[in-house]
C-alpha cells in the first residue's frame, strides 16, 4: 500500500458519523476540481454526493482539493481504497435501501455472505453492496433456514418494537452467526445536523448464545461537534447479561432495553457532572480582584464619558 493510499484509508476508517459521505461518490475524486471562488451559491446537484445533507458543495470541493493535493493524479485510488470503505461500512453499520424498498438494511460483518453480498433477515433477501458508492443492487431471495431461524424472526419482532418506541430514526437487524449456533442483534441510529455543526451515531450489537442463555454486546456512541473547532465524543460500553430460559426473544429485547436505558442515564449524569465540575473549573469565577464586576455601572460610566467627550481607557 502506498503512503498516499494509507493516509486516505486512515482518514476514511476514522471519519466521524456522516462525514465519510464525501467518498460515497468516489468518481468525483478523479474529476477536475473547479475553482472555488466562481462557484454559484446554489448549484444544480449532479450526483448523490451533491444531494447529501452533511456537506455543503463548497465544503465537499474544498476537501477534494485537499485529497487531490495529497494523492495527486492517482487513477488507482478508488480501487486501492476499497478495503477501507468496506471496513468503515461494516464497523459503522452503514445502512442502505434496497432497490424498490423503503426500509433500511444494515451492512455489517454479521450480515456478510462474502464476495460483496449481504443479507437482510426481515425481508429475507440478499444483495450486492458497492462500498465505494453506498449502493445496493442485484437483490435475490435469501430464505432463513436452520436451527436459529425461528429465534431470529421472533427476535426481529421484539427488538423492532423496542427500537421503534425509543429511537426516532433507527435500523435494526438479527442474524444467525457462527455456523448457526448464535444470534447477533444490531441497532444503529443516526442524527445529522450539519447546519448546527454536529453529527452523531448510536451503534449497539449483542451476541446471544442459546447454549448458555448469555447476552454479550457493546454500545458505542460517536458524536462530532465542529463549530469553530473540533470536539468528539467516542464511547464503548461493554454489556453482559443473562437471558431467562424459555421465551428467549422477549428476554433479549428486555435485556437490551435495560442496558441501553441505563447507559443513556449514565451519559446524562456524566454530562451534568462535567458541566458543573470540570468545565466550570476551567473558567475563573471572579476576576483577579476577587470582586464581581458590576456591569450596569460600567455601562453607565462609559455612556457618561461618551456624552462628555471623554475617552475610555483601554
Amino acid at each position: 500500500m502506498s503512503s498516499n493510499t494509507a493516509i486516505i484509508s486512515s482518514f476514511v476508517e476514522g471519519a466521524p458519523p456522516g462525514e465519510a459521505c464525501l467518498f460515497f461518490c468516489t468518481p468525483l475524486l478523479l474529476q477536475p476540481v473547479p475553482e472555488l471562488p466562481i462557484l454559484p451559491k446554489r448549484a444544480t446537484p449532479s450526483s448523490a454526493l451533491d444531494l447529501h445533507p452533511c456537506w455543503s458543495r463548497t465544503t465537499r470541493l474544498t476537501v477534494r482539493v485537499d485529497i487531490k493535493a495529497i494523492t495527486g493524479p492517482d487513477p488507482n485510488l478508488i480501487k486501492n481504497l476499497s478495503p477501507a470503505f468496506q471496513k468503515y461500512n461494516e464497523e459503522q453499520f452503514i445502512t442502505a435501501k434496497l432497490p424498490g424498498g423503503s426500509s433500511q438494511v444494515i451492512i455489517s460483518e454479521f450480515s456478510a455472505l462474502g464476495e460483496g453480498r449481504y443479507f437482510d433477515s426481515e425481508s429475507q433477501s440478499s444483495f450486492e453492496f458497492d462500498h465505494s458508492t453506498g449502493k445496493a443492487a442485484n437483490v435475490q431471495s435469501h430464505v432463513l433456514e436452520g436451527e436459529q431461524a425461528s429465534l431470529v424472526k421472533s427476535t426481529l419482532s421484539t427488538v423492532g418494537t423496542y427500537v421503534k418506541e425509543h429511537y426516532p430514526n433507527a435500523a435494526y437487524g438479527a442474524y444467525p452467526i457462527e455456523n448457526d449456533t448464535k444470534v447477533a442483534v444490531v441497532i444503529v441510529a443516526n442524527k445529522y445536523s450539519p447546519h448546527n455543526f454536529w453529527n452523531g451515531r448510536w451503534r449497539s450489537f449483542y451476541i446471544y448464545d442459546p447454549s448458555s442463555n448469555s447476552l454479550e454486546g457493546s454500545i458505542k456512541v460517536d458524536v462530532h461537534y465542529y463549530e469553530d473547532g473540533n470536539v468528539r465524543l467516542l464511547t464503548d460500553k461493554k454489556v453482559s447479561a443473562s437471558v431467562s430460559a424459555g421465551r428467549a426473544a422477549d428476554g433479549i429485547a428486555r435485556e437490551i432495553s435495560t442496558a441501553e436505558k441505563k447507559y443513556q442515564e449514565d451519559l446524562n449524569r456524566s454530562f451534568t457532572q462535567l458541566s458543573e465540575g470540570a468545565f466550570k473549573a476551567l473558567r475563573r469565577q471572579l476576576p483577579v480582584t476577587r470582586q464581581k464586576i458590576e456591569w450596569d455601572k460600567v455601562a453607565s460610566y462609559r455612556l457618561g464619558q461618551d456624552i462628555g467627550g471623554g475617552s475610555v481607557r483601554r
Side-chain angles (χ1 to χ4, degrees):
M1 180 184 294
S2 68
S3 59
N4 287 342
T5 302
I7 291 171
I8 304 302
S9 294
S10 177
F11 177 84
V12 172
E13 293 170 11
E19 297 172 35
C21 59
L22 171 69
F23 297 95
F24 290 158
C25 191
T26 48
L28 288 181
L29 292 175
L30 303 179
Q31 296 177 4
V33 179
E35 294 292 334
L36 295 181
I38 61 173
L39 283 176
K41 291 184 178 179
R42 183 71 177 177
T44 302
S46 59
S47 69
L49 179 61
D50 291 324
L51 293 172
H52 202 290
C54 295
W55 295 81
S56 69
R57 182 173 174 81
T58 301
T59 301
R60 288 190 294 266
L61 291 173
T62 301
V63 176
R64 280 175 56 200
V65 170
D66 294 339
I67 292 174
K68 292 178 77 69
I70 295 173
T71 61
D74 186 354
N76 296 318
L77 176 62
I78 306 307
K79 180 180 179 181
N80 294 339
L81 288 177
S82 293
F85 291 140
Q86 180 174 348
K87 181 179 180 181
Y88 178 86
N89 291 335
E90 291 184 351
E91 289 183 352
Q92 295 293 320
F93 302 154
I94 293 300
T95 60
K97 285 186 178 181
L98 299 182
S102 58
S103 60
Q104 299 281 347
V105 297
I106 299 175
I107 307 301
S108 75
E109 62 175 307
F110 307 117
S111 60
L113 295 174
E115 298 183 353
R117 292 194 68 85
Y118 297 81
F119 74 97
D120 175 55
S121 300
E122 190 161 28
S123 63
Q124 297 201 53
S125 58
S126 69
F127 54 92
E128 292 179 355
F129 185 76
D130 189 329
H131 289 283
S132 64
T133 63
K135 299 292 184 180
N138 193 15
V139 180
Q140 299 176 4
S141 174
H142 185 83
V143 179
L144 281 181
E145 298 177 344
E147 186 177 350
Q148 307 303 333
S150 177
L151 178 57
V152 167
K153 293 175 183 178
S154 55
T155 300
L156 278 172
S157 177
T158 57
V159 171
T161 300
Y162 158 73
V163 170
K164 292 171 184 176
E165 181 180 352
H166 290 83
Y167 294 90
N169 181 25
Y172 61 93
Y175 316 94
I177 61 171
E178 297 186 18
N179 296 320
D180 203 26
T181 61
K182 299 179 182 179
V183 173
V185 179
V186 176
I187 300 172
V188 58
N190 301 300
K191 188 74 180 281
Y192 302 144
S193 186
H195 297 299
N196 293 313
F197 304 99
W198 63 265
N199 296 309
R201 175 174 294 137
W202 171 287
R203 288 175 291 156
S204 56
F205 72 90
Y206 307 89
I207 307 298
Y208 173 66
D209 186 348
S211 65
S212 61
N213 293 319
S214 62
L215 187 71
E216 305 286 338
S218 177
I219 304 173
K220 299 182 180 183
V221 178
D222 188 350
V223 180
H224 183 212
Y225 180 78
Y226 49 93
E227 182 177 15
D228 296 328
N230 281 282
V231 178
R232 189 173 181 185
L233 169 70
L234 283 169
T235 73
D236 188 353
K237 172 67 175 179
K238 302 299 181 183
V239 175
S240 179
S242 179
V243 176
S244 301
R247 302 180 64 181
D250 292 332
I252 291 172
R254 184 168 53 252
E255 293 299 334
I256 289 175
S257 175
T258 300
E260 296 191 350
K261 179 181 178 181
K262 182 180 183 302
Y263 188 54
Q264 290 184 22
E265 291 174 346
D266 290 344
L267 281 178
N268 290 337
R269 191 159 41 248
S270 298
F271 294 150
T272 301
Q273 293 172 352
L274 280 173
S275 178
E276 296 178 353
F279 287 163
K280 192 173 182 180
L282 293 174
R283 185 176 185 272
R284 181 184 288 119
Q285 300 301 305
L286 292 172
V288 178
T289 60
R290 306 298 297 173
Q291 295 179 348
K292 292 183 178 180
I293 297 176
E294 299 182 25
W295 294 104
D296 293 338
K297 289 186 178 181
V298 170
S300 63
Y301 293 156
R302 183 164 185 169
L303 178 61
Q305 287 181 335
D306 291 342
I307 294 175
S311 61
V312 180
R313 179 175 298 176
R314 297 183 184 275

